[in-house]
Amino acid sequence: KRLVEEDLAAAKPALDEAESALNAITQKDIIMLKSLKKPPDVIKRLFDGVLILQMEPLIDLALVHVKERHVIDPSWKFALLMMSRSTFLSDLQTFEKDLINDETIELLYPYTSADDLTYADAKKASGNVAGLCTWVHSMVLYTEISKVVKPKIAANIAA
């Protein structure tokens, strides 16, 4: 039981940070972001991560050349639709993280492993919306930790 509690404790800081980051994002931030004619590339790709976690549609995968490297062409039009929902921020705050599976983590990997998909780069590009970067990374970390913890919890219950 002590090992399970230690493993759960490892996930708590990331989840607390994700919650704080989401709480810092306001409807005003989202409105400002939607009004941009050409949002920064890092923000568009960040929203792909949100789309993937929310199991929303994406455009067909394509690579584009940006600043001397290849990146995934973002699904910004779908991100705009998602952000237009009046429940967008509350949906993120009540997101059911236990439904994230290995396939979702695999789909997120090209985004979360990108050098520029960091809180600092996203903050520089678009202020408080950078909290979504923390949220996406925290959901991945939570899933990785829960894959270790859940079998231990089940074993403790069975014992």
Side-chain angles (χ1 to χ4, degrees):
K1 182 174 179 167
R2 181 183 56 77
L3 292 174
V4 172
E5 288 173 2
E6 287 173 7
D7 288 340
L8 286 173
K12 185 151 177 36
L15 293 175
D16 290 346
E17 186 179 6
E19 185 178 339
S20 292
L22 282 180
N23 289 335
I25 302 169
T26 66
Q27 192 61 37
K28 184 177 165 186
D29 296 323
I30 300 301
I31 290 167
M32 180 275 308
L33 189 62
K34 289 186 332 186
S35 71
L36 295 177
K37 298 287 183 229
K38 190 170 172 137
D41 185 63
V42 66
I43 297 300
K44 291 191 287 188
R45 287 184 290 114
L46 169 58
F47 269 89
D48 274 9
V50 177
L51 286 165
I52 289 168
L53 284 166
Q54 294 283 348
M55 296 185 186
E56 296 284 343
L58 298 168
I59 61 170
D60 289 340
L61 182 65
L63 292 177
V64 293
H65 198 74
V66 175
K67 295 183 183 174
E68 300 181 20
R69 64 188 178 137
H70 285 42
V71 295
I72 296 171
D73 190 16
S75 299
W76 187 243
K77 70 177 184 178
F78 291 117
L80 287 171
L81 289 172
M82 179 178 62
M83 286 187 283
S84 294
R85 292 188 202 129
S86 62
T87 59
F88 172 63
L89 288 174
S90 63
D91 289 347
L92 294 177
Q93 291 167 338
T94 59
F95 178 73
E96 187 53 60
K97 60 191 169 294
D98 288 314
L99 297 179
I100 302 170
N101 59 29
D102 289 340
E103 182 180 4
T104 302
I105 299 302
E106 198 174 307
L107 289 169
L108 284 169
Y109 182 76
Y111 300 96
T112 57
S113 64
D115 292 342
D116 67 338
L117 200 69
T118 65
Y119 177 83
D121 286 332
K123 179 87 172 165
K124 194 178 342 173
S126 194
N128 284 346
V129 175
L132 288 174
C133 191
T134 301
W135 183 76
V136 169
H137 284 284
S138 295
M139 293 302 104
V140 171
L141 178 62
Y142 172 82
T143 303
E144 291 168 355
I145 292 171
S146 72
K147 283 172 56 175
V148 172
V149 172
K150 284 179 183 178
K152 290 179 183 178
I153 292 172
N156 278 345
I157 291 172

